Structure formats: C-alpha cells, structure tokens
Amino acid sequence: MATRKITITVPEELVESIKERVDARGVSGYIAAAAAHQDAMDRLRELAERLEEEHGPVTDDEQQAALDRIAAIDGWHDEQRSHPGAAA
C-alpha cells in the first residue's frame, strides 16, 4: 500500500503514552492503525444508517438474537481453543 507523509498535531501526553508502548519508528504505524480503525468504524456506522433507512430500526428482539448468536460463536471458539485438534 502506498503511503504519504503528513503532519498532524497530537496532544503531547498522548504522544508520550504511545512512545512508551512502541519504539520511535512505530509511532507512525500506531497512529496509522488507530486512523484505520476509526475509518472502519465510521464506514460501519454509515452502513448501519443506510440499512436502518432502508429496513427500519433493529428491534430489541433482533438485537438480542444477534447478541445470543455472537455469544454462541464466542463459546464455540473458546471450545476450539481449549481442545485444539478436536473434530469440528
């Protein structure tokens, strides 16, 4: 992926906190990853808004069903990690 050097302004305390976690050359990568994450969240929010406009808001029952499904998938992954090699 092509990169471009830009100048940004970041609070000094934040820069120092980041530097404690990464070496000096890793600051750019850290900030790029944070920006990529925010961009993905913004795009996801835009998609959710478009879907809500088209299909209406998600009901409480639909939301709970989705959360239940996520919990079931998490449980399955936990089981797979605790028994690596078990048949699926």
Side-chain angles (χ1 to χ4, degrees):
M1 173 188 302
T3 61
R4 182 189 313 177
K5 187 173 186 171
I6 63 170
T7 301
I8 63 170
T9 303
V10 180
E12 188 171 334
E13 301 82 24
L14 180 57
V15 173
E16 293 307 316
S17 179
I18 293 169
K19 283 183 176 181
E20 290 175 5
R21 291 166 179 65
V22 299
D23 63 28
R25 296 173 66 193
V27 172
S28 289
Y30 189 97
I31 291 174
H37 175 77
Q38 185 62 50
D39 183 60
M41 294 298 98
D42 291 345
R43 289 172 182 265
L44 184 58
R45 186 175 308 105
E46 291 166 2
L47 174 61
E49 289 169 358
R50 285 196 313 268
L51 290 171
E52 188 170 289
E53 286 175 11
E54 184 175 336
H55 300 285
V58 175
T59 66
D60 289 343
D61 288 343
E62 291 168 331
Q63 184 175 1
Q64 188 57 55
L67 293 172
D68 292 345
R69 182 69 179 130
I70 291 168
I73 292 168
D74 284 346
W76 182 86
H77 282 120
D78 291 344
E79 181 68 21
Q80 295 302 307
R81 278 193 292 271
S82 65
H83 299 94

